[in-house]
Amino acid sequence: MSNTIETPLYKPLIERYILDEIKSLRQDNQRLKGELAKQIAEARLDSSDRAIQYTTSTVNNIFYIITAAASLLVLLGWRSLNDIKKSIKIDTAKKIQTLTGDYEKRLQQIENKMVERSKIIINNQQEISNTNSIHSLWMRAGLEKSEEDKISIYDEILEINPNDIEAMTYKADALLEIGEVRWALNLSNIAIEHDDEYSLAYWQRACAYAQLDRQAEAIKDIQKAISLSDTLNEEILNEKHFDKLRNNEQFQAFVSKPVNEIVI
């Protein structure tokens, strides 16, 4: 019978032993993993507890500090702090009001200067426009043949510049040409009132006086006109409005004298 057994009988026992050992190792390994996980969880829990305790302590300390500071403020006087705040607000408001007032004054000054400059610019533009208009009217008057048309142009010039004594004088000359002697005399008087050194105004008034046969006044104005502008001495004999003075002894004596001997 012993001769028929070819394999050892203990081989299954060895295999069973090995399996048991492997099973035991697995169980030990699982137990170690469980203990390791437990230890890690406990370590994390301890860390969390410490962090919470630290945070709690910090917050408590902050609250303690705030409470102490509030208590200190109450002890020192909260009303004094309010007074300080009010004083700061009042001072700030005054400074802001002062700065605002200064800026308003500066803006007002700038605005006033701008208005003045605008007025100056507008006046200059108007003067330039008036000058151009008057210049064109004088050119038209020089081309006109009719005395009535010249008078209308001189009136347009006087509408633009009522104090234009040259236009008054030339209008007076045109009025003398159409026989309006008294009108010409009044206009010459107005021109002399505006400028008592304008020679042509005296000349035209002398012409008006001569036409009205007021020879003494005419001679006096002729002398005044020539004293202001000696070039008029050459026009005495050519002035047709002095025809009534030709037989006047003073006029004849006056005409025969040199200019430098004329005495007013």
Side-chain angles (χ1 to χ4, degrees), residues 25 43 50 62 67 90 149 192 201 209 223 231 240 245 255:
L25 289 173
R50 291 177 182 175
I62 292 172
T67 303
I90 293 171
D149 292 336
I192 292 172
Y209 280 142
Q223 292 174 336
T231 58
K240 63 181 181 179
L245 301 176
V255 171

Side-chain angles (χ1 to χ4, degrees), residues 191-223:
I192 292 172
E193 288 177 1
H194 282 82
D195 186 359
D196 58 359
E197 298 295 323
Y198 188 54
S199 61
L200 288 178
Y202 289 100
W203 185 270
Q204 295 301 330
R205 191 169 72 173
C207 293
Y209 280 142
Q211 292 294 311
L212 294 172
D213 203 19
R214 296 168 61 176
Q215 296 185 7
E217 292 92 335
I219 295 296
K220 184 177 180 180
D221 280 347
I222 292 172
Q223 292 174 336

Side-chain angles (χ1 to χ4, degrees), residues 27-41:
Q27 290 176 350
D28 292 338
N29 190 20
Q30 289 178 356
R31 186 175 61 255
L32 288 172
K33 287 181 179 180
E35 292 178 356
L36 182 60
K38 183 178 180 181
Q39 292 177 357
I40 292 171

Side-chain angles (χ1 to χ4, degrees), residues 158 161-166 168-169 186-198 201-202:
L158 290 172
N161 183 11
N163 298 323
D164 193 329
I165 58 173
E166 188 175 4
M168 294 179 190
T169 305
N186 291 332
L187 200 59
S188 299
N189 287 329
I190 294 172
I192 292 172
E193 288 177 1
H194 282 82
D195 186 359
D196 58 359
E197 298 295 323
Y198 188 54
Y202 289 100

Side-chain angles (χ1 to χ4, degrees), residues 95-264:
K95 289 182 180 179
I96 293 173
Q97 187 176 4
T98 303
L99 291 173
T100 304
D102 291 340
Y103 280 115
E104 287 180 353
K105 290 180 180 178
R106 292 179 183 178
L107 290 174
Q108 186 65 38
Q109 291 175 355
I110 293 172
E111 184 178 356
N112 292 337
K113 289 182 180 179
M114 292 297 293
V115 171
E116 291 177 359
R117 290 181 181 179
S118 299
K119 289 180 179 178
I120 292 172
I121 292 171
I122 293 172
N123 291 334
N124 290 338
Q125 291 176 344
Q126 187 64 41
E127 289 180 1
I128 292 171
S129 177
N130 291 341
T131 301
N132 293 333
S133 300
I134 291 173
H135 178 70
S136 63
L137 289 171
W138 277 112
M139 293 182 66
R140 282 178 52 197
L143 298 174
E144 291 291 342
K145 302 298 183 181
S146 170
E147 299 299 332
E148 288 80 2
D149 292 336
K150 289 181 180 180
I151 291 172
S152 298
I153 294 174
Y154 297 144
D155 286 336
E156 291 183 33
I157 294 173
L158 290 172
E159 285 181 4
I160 297 173
N161 183 11
N163 298 323
D164 193 329
I165 58 173
E166 188 175 4
M168 294 179 190
T169 305
Y170 277 83
K171 182 179 177 181
D173 182 59
L175 290 170
L176 287 172
E177 294 295 331
I178 64 175
E180 295 288 346
V181 180
R182 294 192 178 277
W183 191 359
L185 178 60
N186 291 332
L187 200 59
S188 299
N189 287 329
I190 294 172
I192 292 172
E193 288 177 1
H194 282 82
D195 186 359
D196 58 359
E197 298 295 323
Y198 188 54
S199 61
L200 288 178
Y202 289 100
W203 185 270
Q204 295 301 330
R205 191 169 72 173
C207 293
Y209 280 142
Q211 292 294 311
L212 294 172
D213 203 19
R214 296 168 61 176
Q215 296 185 7
E217 292 92 335
I219 295 296
K220 184 177 180 180
D221 280 347
I222 292 172
Q223 292 174 336
K224 180 67 175 178
I226 293 175
S227 68
L228 293 173
S229 177
D230 54 8
T231 58
L232 293 174
N233 189 48
E234 301 175 0
E235 302 294 330
I236 294 177
L237 295 176
N238 297 325
E239 181 58 68
K240 63 181 181 179
H241 296 296
F242 293 158
D243 288 343
K244 292 183 179 182
L245 301 176
R246 303 300 177 187
N247 297 325
N248 186 291
E249 294 181 357
Q250 291 181 340
F251 182 77
Q252 291 177 355
F254 172 74
V255 171
S256 63
K257 289 182 179 180
V259 177
N260 57 5
E261 294 183 7
I262 297 174
V263 178
I264 300 175

